[in-house]
Amino acid sequence: MEITKIIILQGAKKSEGLIFPKPEEALIEVNKMGLFRSPHLFFVEAKNRKFVDRAIEVLRREPESSLSPLFSNLEPSPEFKKLVDGVEASLSNESIEKAREIWETIEKLVPNPYATTLPENWRMNLLRFLVTRKIEEISPVLNRNSVIGFFWPEAKTILRKEEKGRELEDLELMKRQKIFSTEIENKTSLCPFCGYYNLILREICPNCGSVKIRLEEFIHHYSCGYIGPASEFQVGDKLICPKCHEELKHIGVDYDKPLEKYICDECKSVFIEPDISVLCANCSKTFPPENIKEETVNTYILTPFGKLVAAEGKFPLNIFEELSVQLGVIGFNLFIYILDKFLKLAKRYPERTFCVLGLKLTVKEEAITEAPTKVKLFLKDLVSIIKENLRSSDIISSSERRYILILLPETPPEGAKVVVKRIAEQVERLLKVNNLTDQIEFKESYICTDKGITDLSAEEVVKELFKEMEK
Ligand SMILES: [Zn+2]
Ligand SMILES: [Zn+2]
Ligand SMILES: [Zn+2]
């Protein structure tokens, strides 16, 4: 395999290759010419570092060019350092050779199936960038512009995050998918409301919460016993007791200074220890220090499984998310809210019967890793079975990545029984036909207003259902 095209950005000095003044233009033109599929390389020839940085960012965030070998004549900013394949004044044969080697690893990858501009595609690009560059880990860098005070430069650019630190969510998702393992690198403190790190700690009055507090020396007047802040005694350059109006002359003889105390200018209270209040510079909310969210900041290390995911171009299947999306579920909190309304209504009008149906799906890990397509097809059929047996007025939700909850309004217990039985029978048949009985467990349960549930809260009703399905 040979490099067929050298694409030069900005530098018009070279006589060979395709020359573009702007990286965006290069992307459009090169795409039109269909060059992205064949071995090529980019060389950024710039007069200043800013241009190099921008070119790297533009090329790496585009799915078509995120893996392209990329060299520059100037050193980029530290943020972009790991995203270039080499820095040299002019393109050498060694670099062309290196580009050729990168292409050899790219060619070994199964073509990326995520053709759309979805975050999933960007995550795959990041993984593939790491494996084609033999980068084993992504480390956090301290940065005051990041929302969490740290960011992961390679991930931020390839995952197309506008704000530094936002790539954390994707990295954590891939950690849950076992693509990355982690090692703690540092810690950060975040606002519990908005997740930003910009927190200001202030000492405040424990009585009224005002920040207008000051530390003062207190004076104890021996002869009359009065104790008060030094400022009350200060008259010109003399110390006069505000209570008995005697002049204080000798410390240790007339008076002493037993301690320092805080005084609040707002409510006048006196105290020894002020409270600490945290103010978030981003959302302006205040809260006590114990509510600060302490988070670890990790280095993400590519696992052997992660490398496999990159090579095959397929993310592990997330059964429950897939199912929830296909069923078009509503959020769990909203479901609880609606269920609460139904319970209240049924309590007042006993004829307004309804039922709640619970389905539980447990899929063995090996079924997902060994026969993902089979499981995917099963899910598709399961969704049709559930949908066929429901009415459009039924409300579906999911919880704890295990349970599907369905509210059947205006349904008597007999009605729910029929629906549950039909679903269970059809699913059982489906599992049998596909030889999945050992791999997938399906359980169902239901509860109706005739069971005296109208005295329970929505959460309690749902808990009852879960308990039933765990039997
Ligand atoms: Zn106060
Ligand atoms: Zn006095
Ligand atoms: Zn905040």
Side-chain angles (χ1 to χ4, degrees):
M1 179 198 311
E2 287 306 319
I3 299 295
T4 51
K5 276 287 177 278
I6 294 171
I7 305 150
I8 297 165
L9 298 177
Q10 201 195 33
K13 284 170 270 170
K14 287 266 180 276
S15 51
E16 275 174 87
L18 294 163
I19 302 161
F20 295 96
K22 282 184 185 154
E24 291 89 347
E25 252 169 54
L27 276 175
I28 296 167
E29 287 305 315
V30 171
N31 206 359
K32 262 193 216 158
M33 289 185 265
L35 291 179
F36 279 127
R37 305 255 161 250
S38 55
H40 60 269
L41 72 81
F42 283 96
F43 186 65
V44 184
E45 211 175 38
K47 291 188 190 75
N48 60 61
R49 192 195 236 193
K50 234 181 168 166
F51 182 85
V52 178
D53 288 354
R54 205 172 64 83
I56 294 170
E57 189 167 21
V58 169
L59 292 178
R60 286 293 178 241
R61 51 183 286 143
E62 282 316 315
E64 289 88 358
S65 53
S66 62
L67 298 183
S68 304
L70 167 58
F71 301 86
S72 67
N73 67 333
L74 297 175
E75 186 85 25
S77 302
E79 178 177 346
F80 298 105
K81 228 172 180 163
K82 283 197 178 157
L83 293 169
V84 280
D85 295 302
V87 178
E88 56 191 357
S90 62
L91 196 61
S92 67
N93 284 331
E94 285 78 51
S95 293
I96 296 174
E97 176 56 25
K98 193 173 178 187
R100 210 183 57 75
E101 280 166 19
I102 291 171
W103 270 103
E104 266 173 8
T105 50
I106 294 176
E107 301 274 300
K108 281 189 198 131
L109 305 171
V110 176
N112 188 351
Y114 307 104
T116 48
T117 49
L118 287 172
E120 197 163 49
N121 193 17
W122 306 336
R123 286 198 287 274
M124 186 54 75
N125 286 334
L126 173 64
L127 295 183
R128 295 194 146 186
F129 180 78
L130 297 179
V131 297
T132 53
R133 268 58 182 189
K134 299 185 172 58
I135 298 173
E136 297 281 333
E137 55 184 47
I138 315 176
S139 297
V141 177
L142 192 64
N143 186 284
R144 71 186 170 97
N145 295 322
S146 158
V147 293
I148 57 165
F150 291 87
F151 84 120
W152 293 260
E154 304 91 302
K156 187 251 171 196
T157 304
I158 299 180
L159 295 174
R160 308 169 69 116
K161 298 295 172 187
E162 292 300 327
E163 280 181 308
K164 290 190 175 85
R166 294 290 183 208
E167 64 281 5
L168 177 62
E169 213 178 296
D170 294 71
L171 292 171
E172 280 296 305
L173 169 70
M174 289 191 278
K175 181 191 174 180
R176 289 198 295 277
Q177 293 175 325
K178 314 261 191 272
I179 288 167
F180 289 117
S181 62
T182 55
E183 231 167 64
I184 297 178
E185 208 59 55
N186 220 318
K187 279 189 177 159
T188 188
S189 324
L190 309 174
C191 170
F193 297 101
C194 70
Y196 273 67
Y197 83 99
N198 315 61
L199 303 177
I200 300 162
L201 274 69
R202 306 149 319 141
E203 292 188 328
I204 55 160
C205 167
N207 182 45
C208 73
S210 168
V211 292
K212 294 180 192 165
I213 59 170
R214 60 196 152 82
L215 196 58
E216 256 213 60
E217 277 184 337
F218 270 63
I219 288 176
H220 174 208
H221 188 203
Y222 291 152
S223 63
C224 77
Y226 181 74
I227 299 172
S231 56
E232 284 186 10
F233 288 79
Q234 212 82 51
V235 180
D237 54 1
K238 283 180 182 166
L239 290 175
I240 309 284
C241 175
K243 193 185 170 204
C244 68
H245 307 292
E246 208 177 275
E247 187 179 350
L248 283 57
K249 285 187 179 140
H250 305 287
I251 187 158
V253 180
D254 301 334
Y255 68 99
D256 68 354
K257 293 177 175 173
L259 37 80
E260 283 186 320
K261 284 186 186 174
Y262 285 90
I263 299 178
C264 173
D265 284 337
E266 204 71 56
C267 72
K268 309 293 175 219
S269 49
V270 174
F271 46 93
I272 297 177
E273 281 274 2
D275 276 356
I276 307 280
S277 159
V278 187
L279 170 66
C280 173
N282 181 55
C283 72
S284 322
K285 289 205 169 71
T286 57
F287 46 91
E290 56 267 27
N291 288 8
I292 292 177
K293 242 171 75 190
E294 297 281 352
E295 297 273 354
T296 59
V297 177
N298 304 316
T299 284
Y300 292 82
I301 306 149
L302 206 56
T303 63
F305 177 67
K307 287 176 191 170
L308 188 73
V309 168
E312 292 183 342
K314 262 188 239 145
F315 279 106
L317 190 60
N318 187 333
I319 300 283
F320 218 76
E321 260 163 42
E322 193 120 336
L323 193 61
S324 304
V325 169
Q326 289 187 36
L327 279 173
V329 304
I330 62 163
F332 182 67
N333 289 339
L334 180 59
F335 184 82
I336 289 291
Y337 176 81
I338 295 170
L339 179 56
D340 238 357
K341 295 262 174 248
F342 270 83
L343 285 168
K344 286 198 179 105
L345 214 61
K347 193 174 168 128
R348 207 175 331 151
Y349 310 103
E351 70 278 11
R352 302 284 296 264
T353 55
F354 70 88
C355 297
V356 188
L357 219 138
L359 308 175
K360 186 188 159 206
L361 191 71
T362 325
V363 183
K364 280 199 183 146
E365 193 86 19
E366 68 240 41
I368 303 169
T369 47
E370 281 162 28
T373 326
K374 208 167 162 186
V375 175
K376 239 182 172 153
L377 288 172
F378 164 78
L379 285 184
K380 223 179 117 213
D381 290 338
L382 177 65
V383 168
S384 329
I385 290 175
I386 296 174
K387 280 189 173 165
E388 273 167 25
N389 284 292
L390 297 183
R391 299 160 300 182
S392 59
S393 56
D394 298 335
I395 301 160
I396 316 176
S397 183
S398 61
S399 171
E400 295 177 31
R401 298 171 167 269
R402 277 203 299 277
Y403 308 110
I404 302 279
L405 293 160
I406 304 159
L407 179 82
L408 311 171
E410 311 286 335
T411 306
E414 311 82 65
K417 195 178 169 187
V418 171
V419 173
V420 166
K421 202 171 157 230
R422 257 207 315 253
I423 293 180
E425 279 171 4
Q426 291 174 4
V427 172
E428 207 170 301
R429 211 175 311 139
L430 186 64
L431 287 172
K432 237 182 222 153
V433 169
N434 290 295
N435 256 336
L436 284 166
T437 2
D438 295 338
Q439 313 288 330
I440 299 173
E441 191 194 32
F442 185 79
K443 277 198 168 179
E444 69 290 325
S445 180
Y446 70 97
I447 197 165
C448 301
T449 38
D450 66 321
K451 289 281 187 293
I453 56 170
T454 49
D455 289 325
L456 302 178
S457 70
E459 277 102 345
E460 285 167 331
V461 171
V462 167
K463 255 191 206 140
E464 277 299 310
L465 263 181
F466 289 170
K467 227 167 61 194
E468 201 58 41
M469 284 184 284
E470 290 305 329
K471 270 184 191 164

